[in-house]
Amino acid sequence: VRAANKVITGSLEGPASNFVEIQTSQDVPLAPVSLSIAAVDDTSLHVTWLPPLAPNGIIQFYQVFIAESVKSVFYSGTQNISTDATEIVIKGLTAYTTYAVIVRAFTIDFGD
């Protein structure tokens, strides 16, 4: 915000105020990008990703969600990963099974 006075009969401006800076709060980050999944062996998957293009704050951690669908019953598990890592090897899976993997980023506001 910059305020100034103006003389009615002239074009002179008064002195400007000091600049004041303020940072807005963090918000929900966009999704991580370039998600890639590869089989390591018959019971393990290697999952990699890149940070969100718009983190909207400081990423605190990533959450990796994995699920399988068997006879319409949904089984799932999650694991939180530090921001230093953008990959994980998920072990102990069932051989010859289809899995869905989702990676989410969280800021201090623990966004979706």
Side-chain angles (χ1 to χ4, degrees):
V1 174
R2 186 173 181 173
N5 295 324
K6 187 171 185 175
V7 177
I8 295 175
T9 59
S11 62
L12 301 175
E13 293 184 4
S17 67
N18 294 332
F19 283 101
V20 177
E21 293 182 351
I22 186 168
Q23 186 174 32
T24 57
S25 299
Q26 297 187 79
D27 197 7
V28 176
L30 292 182
V33 295
S34 300
L35 179 63
S36 177
I37 305 167
V40 175
D41 55 37
D42 60 341
T43 61
S44 301
L45 296 175
H46 182 227
V47 181
T48 62
W49 62 90
L50 294 175
L53 296 177
N56 296 326
I58 299 168
I59 301 297
Q60 298 297 311
F61 64 94
Y62 295 100
Q63 184 179 71
V64 178
F65 174 84
I66 185 163
E68 66 172 296
S69 180
V70 180
K71 297 181 184 176
S72 299
V73 178
F74 204 59
Y75 299 94
S76 66
T78 60
Q79 185 167 355
N80 293 344
I81 310 298
S82 75
T83 57
D84 296 335
T86 55
E87 66 178 336
I88 183 174
V89 174
I90 302 170
K91 300 179 179 182
L93 303 174
T94 304
Y96 197 66
T97 303
T98 301
Y99 287 92
V101 177
I102 297 170
V103 178
R104 299 186 339 161
F106 287 79
T107 60
I108 192 91
D109 291 327
F110 306 110
D112 293 322

